[in-house]
Amino acid sequence: MDFASEQFIVIVILGFVVFAAFSFRPSGYQGNWKKLAQRFETQRRPVSSNFPGEVIESAGYAHFDVAVDSEGLWLLYDGPQPPKAPACMLVPWGQIAYRGKSAKAYVFSIGPDKPIPLLSESELGAAVARRISTAKEVE
């Protein structure tokens, strides 16, 4: 075997490795996003979103267009790719608990058993906290 054919083989193998690296997609959602998807994924959609382009943190950030209505908190996934969460989730108000506010974010937990932390910034966090307190007053 001459030097040129060895180089060709190395280049072909490197080409396959590069192709595999760029085409890799993780199987399903990971961590807290997977738990949220299992509980709250829906095919339904809200009429409109009140808070476009929100960054929400739950063991890794994701971008969502968010709607707040009488049914609950709608999370419409908007990146990054590959998707970390399903296209749409609806979290009912009874599943969300307000935990406090840090310097940068409002802190919530979702679900009664093994709650999932959720962090949201400014206006959205304040709207969710108000909605939860109003829902509890009605109960």
Side-chain angles (χ1 to χ4, degrees), residues 8-139:
F8 177 74
I9 292 171
V10 168
I11 290 171
V12 169
I13 291 172
L14 286 175
F16 281 121
V17 169
V18 168
F19 174 76
F22 281 107
S23 62
F24 172 74
R25 297 280 187 248
S27 60
Y29 312 120
Q30 304 295 315
N32 288 340
W33 297 119
K34 181 177 182 176
K35 293 174 191 173
L36 287 168
Q38 290 168 342
R39 294 181 191 175
F40 304 113
E41 182 174 12
T42 181
Q43 299 303 312
R44 298 172 44 222
R45 295 286 187 274
V47 176
S48 65
S49 64
N50 314 64
F51 301 93
E54 290 289 327
V55 175
I56 296 178
E57 174 81 29
S58 184
Y61 79 95
H63 295 265
F64 292 91
D65 290 336
V66 179
V68 174
D69 68 12
S70 60
E71 289 187 74
L73 181 67
W74 294 87
L75 302 170
L76 301 153
Y77 191 76
D78 192 28
Q81 296 300 327
K84 291 183 177 185
C88 186
M89 294 182 283
L90 170 60
V91 183
W93 293 120
Q95 295 289 312
I96 305 172
Y98 177 64
R99 297 293 179 215
K101 185 178 180 206
S102 70
K104 294 184 179 181
Y106 286 81
V107 181
F108 302 94
S109 62
I110 297 179
D113 55 323
K114 296 183 181 175
I116 299 166
L118 190 83
L119 281 73
S120 174
E121 296 180 2
S122 62
E123 291 181 41
L124 173 61
V128 171
R130 279 192 306 273
R131 195 66 181 223
I132 291 170
S133 66
T134 304
K136 289 187 189 250
E137 290 170 7
V138 172
E139 289 177 358

